[in-house]
Amino acid sequence: MNATAPQVVPYQVVLLFGPPGSGKGTWGKILNQIPGFYHFSTGEMFRMLDVDSDLGYRIIETMRRGELVPDEITFDLWQKHLHNATLIGRFHPPKDTLVLDGFPRTPRQAEMLNRVAEVKLILKLDCANRDILVERLHRRAILEARLDDANPSVIRRRFTVYDTDTEATLRNFSEGLVEAIDVAVPPVQILSAIGAALARRLA
Ligand code: AMP
């Protein structure tokens, strides 16, 4: 072993899990306002890609179908973006808590994450009545021109992908890390549940 090799500093992480429309992005952005938290969304990372590039075009096409982007591409881009955020001083690991929204989404991604991160808490945002989420997605499709939210069959596909992959992905983490957050209640109650979970786990 090379004694002078730099030590890999693991990221301290809170994971946001949740089906489309559950508010991962909204709550991630709110947490990003708290000093010491840095929110990162892989969905947003992909939506910002240049569609004129070959890779960007292939990824946007995958998203349009409601399918997942391949694991290696996702992890690679994820690492590059976090590295850049660190270089430009937006993210300060390991001092800052990294709030991951939409990553990991597969067991393979979870394995890759576990190599570079210590997961402190998993917030599982969901509600018993998925019709509430479909309604939110319709509104978002109109307000934000999100193509993947506009098509009912793509929405159903994304729910199925989420349910199948989430269970398998969560098996890579201790069950005790998971806190379920009901997103059918008023926002202030969601905020309070998330705040309480963070205070318990990150204190
Ligand atoms: P989201 O904004 O998290 O709902 O993600 C929108 C879309 O981006 C998903 O339906 C996937 O096509 C793609 N995506 C986001 N995160 C991932 C990920 N971790 N792995 C693979 N595909 C992803």
Side-chain angles (χ1 to χ4, degrees):
M1 205 176 104
N2 180 357
T4 58
Q7 268 216 289
V8 179
V9 184
Y11 297 132
Q12 307 289 311
V13 175
V14 171
L15 301 182
L16 286 176
F17 271 71
S22 61
K24 295 189 303 290
T26 302
W27 291 108
K29 285 186 189 112
I30 290 169
L31 294 180
N32 196 46
Q33 300 303 311
I34 304 173
F37 282 75
Y38 182 75
H39 164 240
F40 189 80
S41 151
T42 40
E44 237 163 65
M45 169 183 88
F46 290 139
R47 280 187 288 280
M48 275 162 36
L49 287 175
D50 176 8
V51 271
D52 289 331
S53 71
D54 193 40
L55 181 68
Y57 179 78
R58 277 193 289 137
I59 288 177
I60 298 294
E61 274 303 303
T62 307
M63 292 169 76
R64 232 196 281 260
R65 291 194 303 271
E67 304 292 342
L68 293 183
V69 177
D71 290 335
E72 309 298 330
I73 296 177
T74 303
F75 188 68
D76 221 47
L77 282 176
W78 177 84
Q79 275 205 307
K80 277 188 193 135
H81 274 73
L82 283 184
H83 182 66
N84 288 343
T86 309
L87 280 182
I88 61 174
R90 283 218 185 126
F91 172 43
H92 309 92
K95 191 164 59 75
D96 287 348
T97 298
L98 176 61
V99 179
L100 286 179
D101 152 4
F103 182 87
R105 258 179 158 99
T106 66
R108 174 95 186 98
Q109 290 180 12
E111 270 168 36
M112 294 192 276
L113 174 69
N114 275 333
R115 270 189 240 136
V116 292
E118 185 188 347
V119 176
K120 299 283 200 180
L121 167 66
I122 301 173
L123 293 168
K124 208 172 163 211
L125 313 184
D126 210 339
C127 63
N129 180 3
R130 290 269 171 94
D131 289 346
I132 295 174
L133 306 186
V134 173
E135 178 54 36
R136 286 184 189 167
L137 288 168
H138 280 311
R139 246 178 293 142
R140 186 167 78 181
I142 296 162
L143 292 175
E144 296 177 22
R146 289 258 315 249
L147 290 174
D148 52 343
D149 291 340
N151 180 330
S153 68
V154 171
I155 290 177
R156 272 196 301 279
R157 177 78 196 126
R158 290 171 66 206
F159 281 139
T160 309
V161 167
Y162 173 78
D163 288 329
T164 315
D165 292 341
T166 296
E167 226 171 282
T169 305
L170 284 177
R171 270 184 229 125
N172 288 271
F173 303 100
S174 150
E175 255 179 60
L177 290 174
V178 179
E179 298 250 6
I181 306 288
D182 181 8
V183 295
V185 301
V188 71
Q189 284 181 32
I190 304 176
L191 178 64
S192 158
I194 291 177
L198 290 170
R200 269 194 303 275
R201 307 294 178 131
L202 301 181

